Amino acid sequence: MDTAFELASESAAQLASSTGVEHHDIALVLGSGWGGAADLIGEEVASVPAEQISGFDTHAVAGHSSVFRSLLTPHGKHVLVLGARQHYYQTLDAVRVAHGVRMAAAAGCKQLVLTNGCGSTRPDVGPGSVVLLEDHINLTGVTPLEGATFVDMTNVYTPRLREVARAVDSSLPDGIYAQFTGPQYETRAEVRMAAILGANLVGMSTALEAIAARERGMEILGLSLVTNLAAGIGGEELNHQEVLDAGRDAGPRISALLAEIVKGM
């Protein structure tokens, strides 16, 4: 575990040197469809290709970026956009998945916004809907924590930040997100299982990052963009282009929403 935190501290020092920003306040992980929010949040101070920072490479998924951006909001807060999200299906290593979040914590971030594109088990919450995460179910079978590290997950998604989001848009529905390993989409039976367990959103990210953030004492806000109805709900076969298309169509609207939420954090 010490090695993981040492690497995070090393990466944070490299980030500070590359951006000229010694301390960041808020970290954003922008999933499918959410990337445009960075341009609305504040002035870009610097951007750094991910491969220049220890623990990252250029291996990105279509619809994602491999660049870290440092933004300065009109209210003087420094926002770090983590554009090199590492998914478990890419790394098969939960510690590597958590590295970006741990680097952000080492860089000074006290708040973390996790976004994603996902499938919905509710026909009334279909593509284009934004859902406010109230909880998650980790179905990956792994954790970024090591040893006897007992982290309270009772309120993993911080009630205060959820209230901030509600103040911006009171119509946001609540959701419980189930993280599968991927990269294959879930089967109809797996979607039914997730729904029985209490999840109404399914995807391949977020939960492992949230666990790592709670370990570091960060406040967390989770927002999901529904890009498709999950297998067996909508009746259509699933494909990644559908995810990209839904993210593109919703991009301007959800980016403006997220920018307003960050202003209130």
Side-chain angles (χ1 to χ4, degrees):
M1 186 184 300
D2 290 342
T3 301
F5 294 139
E6 289 170 1
L7 179 58
S9 295
E10 177 185 338
S11 298
Q14 294 171 355
L15 182 74
S17 176
S18 298
T19 62
V21 179
E22 289 297 322
H23 177 94
H24 285 86
D25 303 295
I26 301 171
L28 306 179
V29 179
L30 301 180
S32 298
W34 294 93
D39 296 326
L40 303 177
I41 287 170
E43 177 186 358
E44 182 175 294
V45 176
S47 64
V48 183
E51 68 268 22
Q52 294 184 12
I53 305 296
S54 298
F56 299 96
D57 55 37
T58 58
H59 183 40
V61 179
H64 294 259
S65 168
S66 289
V67 176
F68 299 120
R69 300 177 67 184
S70 179
L71 310 176
L72 180 62
T73 73
H75 298 92
K77 288 190 175 183
H78 290 281
V79 176
L80 174 62
V81 180
L82 298 170
R85 181 178 235 166
Q86 301 187 95
H87 295 77
Y88 183 70
Y89 58 76
Q90 294 170 286
T91 66
L92 299 181
D93 184 338
V95 173
R96 285 193 64 187
V97 171
H99 180 59
V101 168
R102 286 173 169 158
M103 178 187 73
C109 295
K110 301 299 184 185
Q111 298 167 325
L112 172 67
V113 180
L114 294 172
T115 68
N116 59 61
C118 66
S120 171
T121 69
R122 296 177 288 185
D124 59 318
V125 183
S129 301
V130 175
V131 181
L132 183 59
L133 296 191
E134 59 177 316
D135 210 340
H136 73 235
I137 301 173
N138 176 15
L139 295 177
T140 67
V142 297
T143 176
L145 308 183
E146 299 176 17
T149 306
F150 305 114
V151 176
D152 178 33
M153 299 293 289
T154 305
N155 289 306
V156 57
Y157 299 99
T158 309
R160 185 187 73 82
L161 295 186
R162 282 169 42 80
E163 291 176 5
V164 170
R166 286 251 184 261
V168 174
D169 185 350
S170 61
S171 70
L172 292 174
D174 289 321
I176 297 175
Y177 180 95
Q179 179 177 352
F180 287 81
T181 59
Q184 72 282 349
Y185 289 108
E186 304 78 21
T187 68
R188 290 177 296 175
E190 288 168 341
V191 169
R192 289 196 301 271
M193 175 194 71
I196 290 170
L197 292 176
N200 39 49
L201 303 168
V202 294
M204 306 174 194
S205 67
T206 302
L208 297 180
E209 295 159 323
I211 293 168
R214 286 298 305 136
E215 180 189 24
R216 306 312 293 162
M218 301 173 83
E219 290 188 303
I220 307 169
L221 178 69
L223 293 165
S224 291
L225 169 67
V226 175
T227 57
N228 56 274
L229 292 177
I233 305 299
E236 302 293 331
E237 292 189 359
L238 306 180
N239 63 79
H240 190 56
Q241 187 59 47
E242 179 181 39
V243 173
L244 297 178
D245 291 345
R248 181 199 62 225
D249 294 344
R253 172 175 52 85
I254 65 175
S255 295
L257 170 67
L258 180 54
E260 285 299 311
I261 292 172
V262 171
K263 288 178 184 177
M265 292 176 62

